[in-house]
Each structure stands twice: as structure tokens, then as C-alpha cells.
Amino acid sequence: DQQVKQNSPSLSVQEGRISILNCDYTNSMFDYFLWYKKYPAEGPTFLISISSIKDKNEDGRFTVFLNKSAKHLSLHIVPSQPGDSAVYFCAASYEGAQKLVFGQGTRLTINP
Amino acid sequence: NAGVTQTPKFQVLKTGQSMTLQCAQDMNHEYMSWYRQDPGMGLRLIHYSVGAGITDQGEVPNGYNVSRSTTEDFPLRLLSAAPSQTSVYFCASSYRRSGSPLHFGNGTRLTVT
């Protein structure tokens, strides 16, 4: 049972435009959500997080939105840059949980 | 500024062989974990540890053993390698078990023939 789903395996965006990556979850206990970015031959690196008491969190060009009623979160990157080309994973957890549950990942390609 | 260090980076095994993937962190993190990454499957938790001497199973523990004798080290042992264990393995650590981001190593790419 895939509790965290990223339904788009890939996304292609023009440089300077907005990139929107989506993630859905099924477990209503999740209250902490994270996005990770992964380059080839490297480990995932933490990008941004949001707790369920908020519906938006910003960090520079990156904004994460959380819609608890729809069990949906999204990552917006504005403006997109070539260095943003990577695989993005969303992940979820809850207080007291021993693990992060990851989605399948979305490969973002930024075209010049 | 090492963070999480994994060795080796690459390994090829024959079916039935055993080996240990090494993981060390220098951030004094309590929580450590092992994930495997497979195409279309994301990252799946194999085993985790909330402190020295304490380990537990994740989603896909079969065929793997772990131990945590020190805060710094968390080795993953493959007892009898199978082709289904061909994957990229990531070790990760965090300050506490939930509510803080994981820091990942750069992975070990394992091929079992």
C-alpha cells in the first residue's frame, strides 16, 4: 500500500518558469511533510518541510503548500533554474513514528 | 565536515555471497536508518535504530541484518545475497526519530549476479 504517491514520474519546465511538483498521501495521521532533492550518484538532500499546523512554507524560490482536506501537497519552484534539474521526493511522517515514508519521486528537467 | 559516510560506493556480488555495507556519521545523531532505492518504488526503509543497542525492522527487512554498537556506526549485513537485492542503498541519520530531516550518505550501488 503506497501511502505517499507522486503520480508524475517526470516533468519538463522551461528555465524561468514555475515548476509545480505534486504529492498525495493516504494516511491521515501524517503531520510532517518534507521534500528532498536528489542528483545522480548522490544521496537525497533535504529541501523544505511543512507541519500540518501550517498550509504554506516558503524558503527563497521554494514554497510548499499543504491541503490537509485533500491530503495533497505541492512544491513550487519560482523561477526554475537549470540547477533545479534533479529527482524530487516527497516524504511524510507523524509524531512518534519511527520512519519517513517516501513517494516514488518525480524527475524534473529544466530546459534552457 | 563528513556527515554520513557510506562504503563501498559500488559492489558486485554473486548469489549466495555475504557482505557488509558500512555507514558512519559524525553528527552525534541518535537516529540512523537504511533505505533502498529501486526504480518506480521510491525509497523504502529496511532497518532503523533509535540509539546504540536498539534496532528495529522497516518495510523490507528480509535478507538484511543490522546492529548498532556505537552511536556513530550502523552497518547493514546481507546474509546470502539474491538478485532481488540489486539496488542502491542509502544510509541516513537524524537528530531525533521524528520531526527532523534525515541526512543521507551518497549511497552504495549493489549488483547481485
Side-chain angles (χ1 to χ4, degrees):
Chain A
D1 177 32
Q2 190 79 27
Q3 297 185 65
V4 178
K5 295 182 183 178
Q6 294 175 257
N7 291 318
S8 298
S10 62
L11 177 67
S12 186
V13 174
Q14 198 166 0
E15 182 178 358
R17 300 289 187 104
I18 183 171
S19 296
I20 300 176
L21 295 95
N22 294 304
C23 180
D24 298 297
Y25 61 96
T26 57
N27 190 339
S28 56
M29 290 184 67
F30 288 145
D31 59 7
Y32 182 59
F33 304 89
L34 308 90
W35 284 93
Y36 282 82
K37 176 179 181 179
K38 185 185 178 306
Y39 292 120
E42 294 184 9
T45 54
F46 169 70
L47 194 56
I48 192 169
S49 64
I50 188 168
S51 83
S52 59
I53 62 172
K54 301 172 81 170
D55 54 18
K56 176 182 172 182
N57 189 27
E58 287 182 85
D59 184 1
R61 296 185 297 113
F62 302 92
T63 303
V64 56
F65 295 92
L66 176 63
N67 182 333
K68 292 183 286 292
S69 60
K71 295 193 179 67
H72 178 83
L73 65 156
S74 60
L75 175 69
H76 292 211
I77 307 173
V78 183
S80 299
Q81 299 174 354
D84 297 329
S85 295
V87 177
Y88 289 79
F89 291 98
C90 67
S93 184
Y94 57 88
E95 184 61 35
Q98 309 283 13
K99 63 181 183 178
L100 283 181
V101 180
F102 284 84
Q104 305 96 311
T106 297
R107 181 177 302 277
L108 175 65
T109 302
I110 305 301
N111 302 307
Chain B
N1 196 14
V4 179
T5 303
Q6 290 184 238
T7 55
K9 291 190 186 333
F10 302 95
Q11 184 70 50
V12 179
L13 290 177
K14 293 189 188 319
T15 297
Q17 288 184 315
S18 62
M19 79 159 293
T20 300
L21 281 62
Q22 302 292 344
C23 175
Q25 53 92 6
D26 61 0
M27 297 172 282
N28 202 30
H29 284 170
E30 287 183 6
Y31 182 87
M32 296 186 74
S33 53
W34 278 100
Y35 284 84
R36 58 179 288 176
Q37 183 193 5
D38 302 291
M41 305 290 286
L43 292 153
R44 293 181 294 168
L45 182 66
I46 304 171
H47 284 285
Y48 64 93
S49 168
V50 300
I54 307 169
T55 64
D56 209 342
Q57 298 180 351
E59 301 170 68
V60 288
N62 292 340
Y64 308 96
N65 270 0
V66 291
S67 59
R68 183 97 179 269
S69 56
T70 66
T71 300
E72 294 78 21
D73 300 298
F74 191 45
L76 178 72
R77 279 180 286 277
L78 279 70
L79 308 172
S80 176
S84 60
Q85 293 179 304
T86 293
S87 187
V88 181
Y89 291 85
F90 291 100
C91 179
S93 72
S94 66
Y95 177 63
R96 52 193 176 100
R97 67 189 72 176
S98 61
S100 60
L102 288 172
H103 299 257
F104 283 86
N106 282 333
T108 296
R109 183 174 291 275
L110 175 68
T111 302
V112 182
T113 61

